[in-house]
Amino acid sequence: MNISGMGRNSSLQLKIVCFNIVLHLLAWSRMQRSHCLVPQRSIMSIGVVLDLDSLMGKQQKIAMEIAVQEFNNQLSSPKLDLQIKDSHGNSAQVIAGVMDLSLSNQVLAITGTITHNEAALASEFSDTIKNIPIMSLTSFTGRPELLSSRLKHFIQVGDDINLNMQCIVAIVGYLKWKKVTVIYELNNDFSSDQGRILLSLSYSLKLVGSEIDNHLAFPSLSTLLDPNTTIENELNKLKRKSNRVFLIVHSSLELANMLFEKANQIGLMEKGSVWIIPNMVAGLLDSVNSSVIFNMQGVVGFKTYFMEMNEAFREFKFKFRRRFALEYPKEDNINPSIFALQAYDATWAIFEAANKSSSQGKFSLEQFSAKVLSNKFDRLSRNTFSKNRPLMQSQSFNIINVIGKSYREMAFWTPTLGFSKNIFSNQLMEKKNTNNDHDSNGVFSTVYWPGDMQSVPKGWTHSNEERLLKIGVPSNGAFTQFVNVTHDKSMNGSSITGFSITVFEEAVKLLPYDLHYNFVPFNGSYDEMVHQVHNKALDGAVGDTGIMAYRYNLVDFSQPYIESDLHMVVTEQPAKSKTWKFLDAFTKEMWLLIAAIHIFVGFVIWLAEREDNPDLRGIGSMLWFLVTVLFYAHREPIRRPLARIVLAPWLFAIFIVTNSFTASLTSITISQAKPSVLDIQTLKERNSPVGCNGNSFIVNYLTEVLKFKPENIRKINSISDYPAAFENKDIEAAFFVGPHARVFLAKYSCKGLINAGNIFRLGGFGFAYPKGSSLAIDISEALLNMIESGQIKELEKDMLNKLKNEGIANCSSKKKEKDNSSIDIPPFLGLFSICSSFAILALSYHTICLLVKKNLETLTYHIVLTLIRLWRIWKWTTKYFSRIMRRVCSCIETRNAEEDVNNSQQNPVIVVAHASS
């Protein structure tokens, strides 16, 4: 039974095998028939060179494969194939990959992250490359004028580096950072044109008032043996410097990630720091994990703007995410970047151009390039290609701020209109060709900077390891009030003080960065000190240095912190007084008003006193009273209270006016001084000797501009030597700049010295710096703020007040400023009004009394008479009623007496009757 069962099983298996063979034969026959009915599709190969170790390269590969799949689904078109080479981020492997694709594979075109220099170098080894179109997907494009003529079909699809640099400069200029640190990676597409890019960036930064303070260049990440150690060492060098504005102008995402990780570890992502990332890093933030976002908290960046809401992009995004997850399952949070869109569009452009220009697998290179450049379709990246020049990319950048688990889109930027909060308003403004400054206000007001700081960081910090600037100060200046250098034995150094030093120190406090400097005393002339700055032996010069044209050719001066003119100081010469000078004590109006009020008051007093006072009855008596009352010498008694009320305030007024007249007369009758020399021409005609500071520019100015003879110029190097020189007739005039003249006259005004002659306008006092130094601009801005706020004026006032408080200018306080102006009415208007009011009221009362005097006496007589009569009536009435009352009282008393008598008579009878019973 077992044997028979086994036989049945074997026969069954044989039948199944025969059935399968028949089915395969039928299927093969059908396939053969279908191949005979449908023509076989030709295969076109496209060479691709990408860095598949980077996220950008992976995204570009997936985007190209999606484009190939979509194109191959069209049965009427040739079948496409990608020949991909991995460069691993190495330039040599890029060149090798291009050569291999051009020699070993029949490719229609080559695309990928290939720089022009790499393609040109590969063409030197293989002539076939110049006959193959190359579409470059590098992040930055090269300059058209530097492109090789051998590569006639080299097409660039990268970003315009100039547009990226303009956006960085716009951010720096908007936030007004004065110094920045530039960080970049020297990979394939940046190192080829590094010098031009950085030079252009430096020039653009200067236009917005900033400059590059530090450079930090990293080699390509693939060439570093120990990237972590290298990055940490370089960042530690930056940490020891004061600048904290870091601009990453070019970097791969992988290097940027390591950079921010180390920056967090060593403390460069704390409060006060600023980090700005470029498009090639910010454009990939949609596809990074949470650790990368965590390390970039507070970073500001910009990314190319593209439409994400249309149907084509949503469909591509769905395909991209699904395919990327299948091929790279370890990557998470993947979204297509602008670089994936560019690769997708470039692949479609190559396919369509090849399909249109091919004829049985052969096509013309010229036709192919023309088709690529003129190909019109709805590209996702909205870019247009160009031959031998950069891609005409989107002109809008999206400004982002990394915060939390992702980033916030804050604003938009275009090179023509700048910043805008809304892309649609920006586009509308661009169409109208109008400015949108009103829409850019507050663009960066809501930024969260590193360390959760919401206010704009200053971008610098204190550092003790930076080189100290050597700032020269004149040690032998004639006016130590401006710069005073004294040797401090206790500190074994020099103590430097003065007005100019204080102004400089206050200006440095207003700078938006930390300035490390050291004052260096300079024992030489001012011109020699300026030459030292010009030769860069000194980093600057601070002091009472005059801004002159010949000096301006050597150095850059700051904004003048104090104006200066050339003044001539000479001795005084007394002048003669006028005969009627005493009349100038009061103005004409004042004299007339005093006379009018005096006469009016005297008239009112005379009117009130003339009836009762025999001494004041005549007109002559009144006039004499007016004269004597001025000197309080009047002998006429004032009897009426009304007259006394009028006279009392007027006597007080006379006292005030008399003392004011005495003071004013004393002032104007003092001998008026005038200069002993009226002008410079007189000095030159007399060949008079003149003095000036021997270390200043005044010596050259007197000889070359004012044409004084050199032998007539006396060089005086100390302010205390000038008075003696005037007294000894060594000089007849001294020349000072305006600030020095004010100090000199305040100190020696009692010596009989005054300004004379014309004043010659000069450039003022300023601080000197080497040509091209940005410090001159920054200090100038700080000085302007101090001038507008009045701080420098207060410092100058404090300097002069300090001289007086120390007793240096005591003589100037004795000789007060002369005021020749006459006294006018306003100071006495209130006093005169009171006196006039009393006089008018008294006159009114006296007039009323004169008018009603008789009627008043009659009325008084009748009132008295009536009162007498009433008194008499009252007296008679009182007597009458008193008599009646006396009579009534006597009657009552009589009646009471009678009743008492009667009562006394009845009482004995009653007693007797009682006894008898």
Side-chain angles (χ1 to χ4, degrees):
M1 289 181 64
N2 295 334
I3 297 175
S4 61
M6 294 175 60
R8 285 194 297 272
N9 291 334
S10 62
S11 61
L12 181 60
Q13 292 176 356
L14 181 62
K15 290 179 180 179
I16 293 173
V17 171
C18 292
F19 180 75
N20 289 331
I21 293 173
V22 172
L23 289 177
H24 281 85
L25 291 174
L26 290 174
W28 180 80
S29 63
R30 288 187 178 184
M31 290 178 63
Q32 291 295 325
R33 287 197 299 270
S34 64
H35 278 287
C36 294
L37 294 174
V38 180
Q40 187 175 4
R41 298 169 64 183
S42 60
I43 298 177
M44 295 188 299
S45 296
I46 306 297
V48 180
V49 180
L50 296 172
D51 178 13
L52 298 182
D53 294 336
S54 66
L55 179 60
M56 183 188 296
K58 294 175 183 178
Q59 288 199 5
Q60 290 172 332
K61 175 179 177 293
I62 298 299
M64 290 180 179
E65 291 176 347
I66 293 174
V68 169
Q69 183 182 11
E70 291 177 352
F71 192 83
N72 286 338
N73 289 336
Q74 302 176 5
L75 297 178
S76 60
S77 303
K79 185 178 181 180
L80 300 177
D81 182 32
L82 294 178
Q83 302 292 330
I84 300 178
K85 298 290 184 180
D86 187 3
S87 66
H88 300 284
N90 190 291
S91 182
Q93 295 196 32
V94 173
I95 297 173
V98 172
M99 294 177 60
D100 186 42
L101 290 172
S102 64
L103 295 175
S104 60
N105 299 295
Q106 297 295 324
V107 293
L108 297 178
I110 299 175
T111 186
T113 52
I114 308 166
T115 66
H116 181 269
N117 289 346
E118 292 167 345
L121 187 59
S123 66
E124 296 292 337
F125 297 99
S126 176
D127 291 337
T128 59
I129 294 178
K130 64 182 181 180
N131 297 321
I132 300 176
I134 298 177
M135 183 171 284
S136 174
L137 299 177
T138 54
S139 56
F140 291 145
T141 59
R143 285 193 296 173
E145 61 270 19
L146 298 180
L147 299 181
S148 173
S149 59
R150 290 172 57 86
L151 301 175
K152 298 181 180 180
H153 307 288
F154 186 84
I155 301 173
Q156 302 183 86
V157 194
D159 292 343
D160 185 2
I161 182 63
N162 294 323
L163 202 60
N164 284 257
M165 295 301 106
Q166 288 179 34
C167 186
I168 292 176
V169 171
I171 295 175
V172 173
Y174 186 90
L175 298 175
K176 299 180 180 180
W177 291 310
K178 298 299 183 181
K179 293 186 178 182
V180 299
T181 296
V182 174
I183 303 174
Y184 47 90
E185 181 182 3
L186 294 173
N187 56 12
N188 304 343
D189 53 347
F190 188 81
S191 59
S192 60
D193 206 9
Q194 166 196 354
R196 181 192 67 87
I197 295 173
L198 295 179
L199 184 62
S200 175
L201 176 63
S202 177
Y203 177 75
S204 299
L205 286 173
K206 286 186 177 181
L207 294 180
V208 296
S210 183
E211 66 174 341
I212 299 176
D213 191 33
N214 305 302
H215 289 264
L216 178 55
F218 289 102
S220 179
L221 191 60
S222 61
T223 63
L224 293 176
L225 298 178
D226 189 0
N228 289 319
T229 303
T230 303
I231 293 173
E232 185 175 359
N233 292 337
E234 294 297 330
L235 289 180
N236 279 321
K237 294 179 182 178
L238 290 181
K239 187 179 180 180
R240 290 191 290 268
K241 298 181 179 181
S242 61
N243 186 254
R244 289 294 183 268
V245 180
F246 304 107
L247 309 181
I248 303 179
V249 297
H250 180 76
S251 172
S252 62
L253 177 64
E254 291 71 25
L255 176 62
N257 184 25
M258 299 177 67
L259 196 65
F260 284 109
E261 182 179 357
K262 293 299 179 183
N264 274 282
Q265 292 176 4
I266 67 175
L268 284 179
M269 292 291 290
E270 298 176 351
K271 288 185 178 181
S273 297
V274 177
W275 290 85
I276 298 178
I277 55 177
N279 181 36
M280 62 184 303
V281 177
L284 295 170
L285 291 183
D286 289 317
S287 304
V288 298
N289 55 40
S290 58
S291 63
V292 177
I293 297 295
F294 176 77
N295 290 329
M296 292 187 181
Q297 292 295 301
V299 171
V300 172
F302 58 93
K303 53 181 290 188
T304 303
Y305 169 77
F306 58 88
M307 294 293 295
E308 301 183 21
M309 303 304 295
N310 56 19
E311 185 64 28
F313 177 79
R314 288 198 294 267
E315 181 180 352
F316 171 78
K317 181 178 180 180
F318 174 77
K319 295 178 182 179
F320 180 88
R321 290 175 59 89
R322 183 178 60 180
R323 191 179 187 96
F324 199 100
L326 291 174
E327 189 162 348
Y328 303 101
K330 294 184 179 180
E331 303 283 352
D332 57 354
N333 193 28
I334 296 300
N335 290 291
S337 65
I338 183 63
F339 309 107
L341 302 184
Q342 290 175 353
Y344 175 85
D345 290 345
T347 306
W348 260 106
I350 294 175
F351 293 163
E352 290 198 352
N355 187 38
K356 292 179 181 179
S357 61
S358 63
S359 176
Q360 295 180 356
K362 297 180 182 179
F363 61 91
S364 169
L365 288 175
E366 287 73 13
Q367 292 180 355
F368 175 81
S369 297
K371 293 292 183 182
V372 171
L373 298 175
S374 62
N375 206 350
K376 297 180 180 179
F377 60 90
D378 189 14
R379 297 185 172 92
L380 296 178
S381 62
R382 298 191 178 275
N383 295 329
T384 56
F385 310 124
S386 58
K387 185 176 180 181
N388 287 346
R389 62 189 178 93
L391 161 78
M392 300 299 290
Q393 69 177 99
S394 171
Q395 295 292 305
S396 297
F397 281 121
N398 201 339
I399 309 299
I400 66 170
N401 178 214
V402 180
I403 186 68
K405 297 181 179 180
S406 184
Y407 62 84
R408 294 184 305 128
E409 297 180 350
M410 299 185 301
F412 298 90
W413 178 86
T414 60
T416 55
L417 298 177
F419 295 103
S420 174
K421 296 180 181 179
N422 192 308
I423 185 63
F424 300 106
S425 65
N426 204 328
Q427 292 173 350
L428 182 62
M429 292 292 180
E430 192 167 359
K431 288 180 181 180
K432 293 181 179 180
N433 196 22
T434 57
N435 203 326
N436 66 334
D437 289 340
H438 67 281
D439 195 34
S440 65
N441 295 329
V443 168
F444 294 93
S445 60
T446 58
V447 174
Y448 286 85
W449 302 96
D452 292 332
M453 188 175 180
Q454 292 187 339
S455 60
V456 178
K458 288 186 176 181
W460 59 268
T461 187
H462 294 281
S463 175
N464 297 325
E465 299 189 15
E466 295 233 3
R467 183 182 73 88
L468 294 176
L469 297 180
K470 295 190 297 182
I471 305 297
V473 294
S475 60
N476 54 357
F479 289 81
T480 56
Q481 291 80 10
F482 290 85
V483 178
N484 185 24
V485 180
T486 57
H487 183 70
D488 191 349
K489 296 181 179 180
S490 61
M491 300 179 60
N492 195 20
S494 298
S495 174
I496 301 175
T497 58
F499 172 74
S500 299
I501 302 300
T502 303
V503 170
F504 177 76
E505 291 174 344
E506 293 297 323
V508 169
K509 293 178 182 179
L510 298 179
L511 295 179
Y513 52 85
D514 193 15
L515 185 67
H516 301 276
Y517 62 91
N518 186 27
F519 288 127
V520 179
F522 184 80
N523 188 18
S525 67
Y526 286 80
D527 285 341
E528 291 173 349
M529 185 172 65
V530 170
H531 275 88
Q532 290 295 312
V533 176
H534 170 68
N535 297 330
K536 297 186 178 179
L538 294 173
D539 297 308
V542 170
D544 48 347
T545 308
I547 302 176
M548 305 299 294
Y550 71 93
R551 292 176 179 174
Y552 202 83
N553 294 327
L554 301 175
V555 296
D556 283 346
F557 279 98
S558 67
Q559 166 74 24
Y561 61 89
I562 190 171
E563 294 183 354
S564 66
D565 308 311
L566 189 63
H567 292 251
M568 182 176 72
V569 176
V570 298
T571 56
E572 294 179 349
Q573 178 181 347
K576 296 181 180 180
S577 300
K578 297 180 181 179
T579 304
W580 300 95
K581 190 66 177 178
F582 71 93
L583 293 177
D584 293 338
F586 293 141
T587 60
K588 294 180 180 179
E589 295 79 5
M590 184 69 174
W591 282 116
L592 292 175
L593 183 61
I594 293 173
I597 295 177
H598 189 63
I599 294 172
F600 177 66
V601 169
F603 173 76
V604 172
I605 295 173
W606 172 77
L607 194 64
E609 289 285 326
R610 67 186 181 91
E611 293 182 358
D612 300 333
N613 194 341
D615 295 330
L616 288 175
R617 287 182 178 177
I619 300 297
S621 300
M622 182 192 73
L623 296 176
W624 179 248
F625 174 80
L626 292 178
V627 174
T628 57
V629 77
L630 291 175
F631 308 100
Y632 303 99
H634 56 284
R635 297 181 179 179
E636 297 81 4
I638 304 299
R639 299 177 180 178
R640 296 288 297 272
L642 186 64
R644 292 175 181 177
I645 292 174
V646 177
L647 182 61
W650 182 239
L651 289 176
F652 179 76
I654 291 174
F655 175 77
I656 300 297
V657 172
T658 303
N659 282 277
S660 299
F661 175 81
T662 303
S664 179
L665 184 62
T666 302
S667 175
I668 66 176
T669 53
I670 295 176
S671 298
Q672 300 297 307
K674 68 176 183 179
S676 58
V677 180
L678 296 178
D679 52 29
I680 292 176
Q681 188 63 31
T682 304
L683 291 174
K684 292 192 290 185
E685 292 176 354
R686 296 178 183 174
N687 281 329
S688 301
V690 297
C692 66
N693 184 2
N695 291 326
S696 71
F697 70 93
I698 302 179
V699 177
N700 293 332
Y701 192 87
L702 292 177
T703 56
E704 297 177 5
V705 178
L706 300 182
K707 305 303 180 182
F708 276 91
K709 296 179 180 180
E711 58 270 17
N712 291 335
I713 298 176
R714 307 290 184 265
K715 297 180 180 179
I716 302 175
N717 297 324
S718 175
I719 184 176
S720 59
D721 294 337
Y722 285 95
F726 276 110
E727 292 176 2
N728 299 331
K729 304 298 182 180
D730 293 336
I731 59 174
E732 290 191 20
F735 288 90
F736 304 99
V737 289
H740 291 171
R742 289 192 289 272
V743 171
F744 178 75
L745 292 177
K747 188 174 183 180
Y748 297 110
S749 59
C750 61
K751 297 292 185 180
L753 302 171
I754 59 172
N755 279 319
N758 297 328
I759 296 176
F760 299 90
R761 184 67 182 271
L762 301 176
F765 285 172
F767 306 138
Y769 301 96
K771 280 288 186 180
S773 174
S774 62
L775 192 57
I777 300 175
D778 298 341
I779 291 292
S780 295
E781 183 178 355
L783 290 175
L784 285 174
N785 290 328
M786 294 177 65
I787 293 172
E788 293 172 1
S789 65
Q791 186 177 0
I792 292 182
K793 192 69 176 178
E794 289 298 322
L795 290 175
E796 184 183 12
K797 186 185 297 183
D798 291 342
M799 175 183 63
L800 296 177
N801 290 338
K802 187 177 180 181
L803 291 175
K804 296 178 182 179
N805 294 335
E806 292 176 354
I808 299 177
N810 286 337
C811 60
S812 65
S813 63
K814 297 177 183 177
K815 185 177 179 181
K816 298 181 179 179
E817 184 181 359
K818 300 170 185 178
D819 185 10
N820 294 330
S821 60
S822 302
I823 298 178
D824 207 348
I825 295 175
F828 300 92
L829 188 60
L831 185 62
F832 288 166
S833 299
I834 294 173
C835 297
S836 301
S837 300
F838 275 93
I840 292 173
L841 291 175
L843 180 62
S844 301
Y845 177 79
H846 186 71
T847 303
I848 293 172
C849 290
L850 290 176
L851 294 175
V852 299
K853 182 176 181 181
K854 294 182 179 180
N855 295 331
L856 183 61
E857 292 177 351
T858 303
L859 180 62
T860 303
Y861 173 78
H862 286 291
I863 291 174
V864 172
L865 183 62
T866 303
L867 290 175
I868 293 172
R869 290 176 179 177
L870 290 174
W871 167 254
R872 291 177 180 176
I873 294 173
W874 170 257
K875 188 176 181 181
W876 179 86
T877 304
T878 304
K879 291 180 178 181
Y880 177 77
F881 278 103
S882 63
R883 292 174 184 175
I884 294 175
M885 290 302 296
R886 285 196 297 269
R887 291 177 182 178
V888 171
C889 290
S890 62
C891 291
I892 292 172
E893 290 175 356
T894 303
R895 184 178 299 175
N896 290 335
E898 291 175 354
E899 289 178 355
D900 292 336
V901 171
N902 293 330
N903 289 334
S904 62
Q905 290 175 358
Q906 292 176 1
N907 286 336
V909 175
I910 294 173
V911 174
V912 171
H914 179 71
S916 64
S917 65

